[in-house]
Amino acid sequence: HLIPACRTGHVCVEMCVVLSQMGFCTMYLIFISQNLELYLKSSGLSANDIVWLTLPMMVTLCWIGSLKLLTPFSVVALTLIFLGLGYVISEAAPLLQDATTIELYKPKTYSLFLGMAIYSFEGIAMAIPIESSMKKPQFFPAVWLGGCTFVTLLYVSFGAFVYTCYGDAVPSIITLALPVGTKTTLVKIGLCFSLVLTYPLMMFPVFEILEGHWGRALFQQPPQQLIDEDEEEEEEEDVEW
């Protein structure tokens, strides 16, 4: 009775990973469309059109089935993200003394806070693929702990600082609060491009599960139970002969 339950639990966990990663990547599309819509609206393109225009590049990058080959794209994306964070901090810092509407706790948006807190750790599903691709996997626990600690401190400090600067009027997407200008345009384009490059990395666990486990089970290899039954039938036929 334990083996079927373990298999069911394994499938449920994989399904949760697939759905969560697909949801995280959907947020990428929302961020890109909302940031570029302002600049492409004059050409008659809507947010939906922008999403469809970015999909071919994302799909092409998703065909890369190796984390090692995706590493250069990840490095470029991280560089653009940190440059964008630096620019946001530089623009928010002068407003630090002007912000007066600050609430330490808002019950109405508490559920949104929980969702965004979970979304902040969108890369948690990459744990097993990263460990399996490491040259020295014995160092993975220390590397993973250090990475999670750094990401947590970065998100908490950045979010607290920006909220203190802008106050309660801060938008959910912080780039929408930046002033209009050439630098802001370049930062938004850079962040959008970084998400395009990060998209295949976040979808890697999804493809690994769908193609490697479920796909093999459905289309290539029959279930092990059927294989065992066929082998038993063949052995019985041999005994009869």
Side-chain angles (χ1 to χ4, degrees), residues 31 35 38-39 83-93 95 158 162 166 170-171 173-189 191:
F31 181 91
N35 278 275
L38 178 64
Y39 305 103
L83 290 175
L85 291 178
Y87 178 73
V88 172
I89 292 175
S90 65
E91 291 293 333
L95 305 175
F158 178 80
V162 172
Y166 285 98
V170 62
I173 299 179
I174 189 58
T175 52
L176 300 179
L178 296 175
V180 179
T182 304
K183 292 182 179 180
T184 299
T185 303
L186 293 176
V187 167
K188 289 183 178 182
I189 294 175
L191 290 175

Side-chain angles (χ1 to χ4, degrees), residues 29-230:
L29 300 176
I30 296 175
F31 181 91
I32 293 172
S33 62
Q34 289 190 0
N35 278 275
L36 296 183
E37 185 180 14
L38 178 64
Y39 305 103
L40 300 177
K41 196 172 183 180
S42 59
S43 59
L45 295 176
S46 62
N48 293 334
D49 297 330
I50 296 173
V51 170
W52 286 108
L53 289 175
T54 56
L55 281 180
M57 185 176 181
M58 291 182 175
V59 171
T60 302
L61 292 175
C62 286
W63 286 344
I64 301 176
S66 171
L67 286 178
K68 184 177 181 180
L69 297 178
L70 289 173
T71 300
F73 300 101
S74 179
V75 172
V76 174
L78 286 174
T79 303
L80 294 173
I81 290 174
F82 278 106
L83 290 175
L85 291 178
Y87 178 73
V88 172
I89 292 175
S90 65
E91 291 293 333
L95 305 175
L96 183 59
Q97 298 179 354
D98 298 334
T100 56
T101 55
I102 297 177
E103 297 183 28
L104 298 180
Y105 176 70
K106 299 176 66 175
K108 293 182 179 180
T109 58
Y110 185 70
S111 59
L112 177 62
F113 162 74
L114 292 178
M116 295 305 298
I118 296 173
Y119 174 76
S120 299
F121 294 93
E122 55 185 329
I124 194 68
M126 294 296 298
I128 296 178
I130 291 175
E131 182 181 12
S132 61
S133 63
M134 290 181 65
K135 187 176 182 180
K136 297 180 179 180
Q138 63 270 21
F139 296 114
F140 173 77
V143 173
W144 189 255
L145 178 61
C148 290
T149 303
F150 173 75
V151 170
T152 302
L153 293 176
L154 177 64
Y155 276 129
V156 171
S157 57
F158 178 80
F161 177 78
V162 172
Y163 179 70
T164 305
C165 294
Y166 285 98
D168 194 47
V170 62
S172 57
I173 299 179
I174 189 58
T175 52
L176 300 179
L178 296 175
V180 179
T182 304
K183 292 182 179 180
T184 299
T185 303
L186 293 176
V187 167
K188 289 183 178 182
I189 294 175
L191 290 175
C192 292
F193 186 65
S194 69
L195 293 183
V196 173
L197 298 179
T198 310
Y199 187 88
L201 189 65
M202 292 296 101
M203 287 293 290
F204 189 86
V206 176
F207 297 137
E208 190 176 47
I209 293 173
L210 294 181
E211 297 178 359
H213 299 168
W214 297 357
R216 191 184 303 118
L218 293 175
F219 302 107
Q220 296 181 9
Q221 296 180 357
Q224 187 63 35
Q225 183 179 359
L226 296 180
I227 296 177
D228 296 338
E229 292 177 356
D230 291 340

